[in-house]
Structure formats: structure tokens, C-alpha cells
Amino acid sequence: WDIVHSIVLNEEEDTLCIADREGSKVECLGAGLKSPKFLGKSLNIISNLGRVYAIAGRGETLIAVNGRGFLKNAQGATIDIENNNQIIDTWGDSLANPHDVAVDRVGDAVYVVEIGPKQNQEV
């Protein structure tokens, strides 16, 4: 990894996903909670997301927000990690500088915090 900028532990799926901001990817590893033999084993890599600033997850879904980069605007993405890392949706056209993301317990709402301008939004 180049610069780890966010991590999310999914106890249900026994995975730990790591957002590598400068590597423009998210890598999910075995967390080893239920199956110690998979601890640290790379399970999948999600590339070409741009500079990933933050990730959050619920079940088989991963939420990622990226910052502006060369030919890429800031946006959010919803990714199905059990279906070949398919991007289900992109959202957040109004995002300027997203820096963190959270999902509510039910998975019905996504919250993004931005810097410059400092603001919170539900998307």
C-alpha cells in the first residue's frame, strides 16, 4: 500500500478492507476472526476508483468516496464485493472534497463529511 487512508472491519464477512489513497485501490483481506488461516490473505483488490479517501461497509456492500484527481471528479461509489467487485452505483455529484463516510446501522443512509467546505451531508 502507498498511503492507507481508511479501513473497515466487517465482522460478519470476516474481512478487513483497506483504502489505499495514493494507490487508487481498496484491498480486502481475511480478518481471521472466524477463520484464522485466512488472516491477512488478500481476498480481492478493487482498482481504478481514483484516490480513495474513505470506505464503509455493510454486509456484502462497500461504500467508497474519492477525491478529485486527474480527469476524475469527487464522487461516491457503491460496490458489491461478492459480485466481482461490481460498481452498483455512483453518486454524490455535489461532493467537492469528501474525506470520510459512514453508513447507518440499517444501511439506509450514507453520510459524507467534507473538508473545504466543511460540511456533512446525507446522500
Side-chain angles (χ1 to χ4, degrees):
W1 305 297
D2 294 324
I3 295 181
V4 174
H5 212 265
S6 183
I7 62 172
V8 64
L9 174 64
N10 185 329
E11 293 181 55
E12 213 175 275
E13 299 293 321
D14 198 14
T15 58
L16 178 70
C17 294
I18 300 160
D20 180 359
R21 188 186 73 192
E22 297 307 308
S24 298
K25 67 182 177 187
V26 172
E27 183 171 6
C28 296
L29 311 171
L33 302 173
K34 298 176 186 172
S35 301
K37 68 181 181 180
F38 293 113
L39 175 63
K41 181 181 182 220
S42 182
L43 302 173
N44 59 23
I45 296 175
I46 307 162
S47 302
N48 300 320
L49 292 174
R51 298 176 71 204
V52 184
Y53 278 82
I55 54 177
R58 187 74 63 231
E60 299 168 352
T61 303
L62 188 69
I63 304 292
V65 291
N66 68 3
R68 283 185 230 166
F70 183 68
L71 297 178
K72 281 203 178 238
N73 291 328
Q75 67 177 2
T78 306
I79 304 159
D80 184 346
I81 56 177
E82 290 295 316
N83 190 13
N84 212 20
N85 301 327
Q86 181 179 359
I87 296 177
I88 301 168
D89 190 19
T90 56
W91 41 268
D93 293 337
S94 64
L95 296 175
N97 292 301
H99 212 71
D100 203 0
V101 63
V103 180
D104 74 348
R105 287 184 188 191
V106 178
D108 290 345
V110 175
Y111 300 90
V112 178
V113 175
E114 297 195 84
I115 57 172
K118 294 178 185 175
Q119 63 181 5
N120 302 323
Q121 18 179 334
E122 180 180 349
V123 290

